[in-house]
Amino acid sequence: MTPNLPLSDDRGVSIAVTHVLTIGITTILITGLLVGASGLLQDERADAARDEMRTIGNRMATDIASVDRAADGTSSTMSVRSVHPSSVSGSTYTVHLKPGSVCAVYSNPCLVLNATSTDTTVYVPFNTSTTVTETRVSGGDIYIVYDGSDIKLASEPANPKLQPPGLPSVEVRA
């Protein structure tokens, strides 16, 4: 007499199926965590760029106010070097000086800082009694130039020939 054997033996299959399901579920969970973390990292990078640009903008507004006070009532020319990093959170940025009539957000003149790779924009308003000329420069060392009538931004110092003797360029370090 032969013993009753099952027609198929699938006892070992349950272990393999369990391993495959465990690896699949683990892969899905890790992928979800990585996707979620990358979105969080991008948000944190944009927030860091915004904070850095706000600090740079406030320092530049202070430098512009210093030039405005020094230029009050004079027709002399001057340059103030404002030293800042050339990138924020791994992204280059631009600084746009806008007069009050052009600054869309404020009625006062403002600085508009824009980080290129994070597409982050910061507006920094300021007060000045001197006219400002709309200019745009890349981040880094920026010169605030008073040419005898208005204030503008430049990537290089003002032409030394324009400066009267005895009036040196002023260097302001942040």
Side-chain angles (χ1 to χ4, degrees), residues 12-169:
V13 173
S14 63
I15 293 174
V17 169
T18 302
H19 281 43
V20 168
L21 287 175
T22 302
I23 291 172
I25 291 171
T26 304
T27 302
I28 291 171
L29 288 175
I30 290 174
T31 302
L33 287 173
L34 290 176
V35 168
S38 69
L40 178 65
L41 181 61
Q42 183 65 23
D43 291 344
E44 290 298 320
R45 187 171 170 214
D47 288 345
R50 187 175 298 109
D51 289 344
E52 287 181 67
M53 287 191 304
R54 191 171 291 128
T55 300
I56 291 168
N58 286 329
R59 288 180 181 168
M60 286 190 64
T62 301
D63 293 344
I64 291 171
S66 297
V67 169
D68 181 44
R69 281 191 302 276
D72 190 28
T74 68
S75 60
S76 301
T77 62
M78 68 182 83
S79 296
V80 173
R81 181 179 177 204
S82 190
V83 180
H84 301 285
S86 59
S87 65
V88 291
S89 294
S91 173
T92 59
Y93 65 98
T94 58
V95 180
H96 193 168
L97 175 63
K98 291 187 171 189
S101 60
V102 178
C103 189
V105 179
Y106 301 98
S107 59
N108 292 344
C110 70
L111 292 166
V112 180
L113 291 84
N114 187 4
T116 52
S117 70
T118 60
D119 197 28
T120 304
T121 302
V122 171
Y123 295 87
V124 180
F126 60 91
N127 291 320
T128 180
S129 59
T130 307
T131 306
V132 297
T133 300
E134 186 170 356
T135 48
R136 183 187 311 259
V137 294
S138 296
D141 291 356
I142 298 171
Y143 292 87
I144 301 164
V145 178
Y146 176 69
D147 63 4
S149 61
D150 61 350
I151 295 173
K152 59 186 166 194
L153 301 179
S155 298
E156 297 181 4
N159 186 349
K161 293 178 184 176
L162 296 177
Q163 292 198 324
L167 184 64
S169 290

Side-chain angles (χ1 to χ4, degrees), residues 5-18:
L5 294 175
L7 297 174
S8 67
D9 188 13
D10 53 351
R11 289 177 286 169
V13 173
S14 63
I15 293 174
V17 169
T18 302

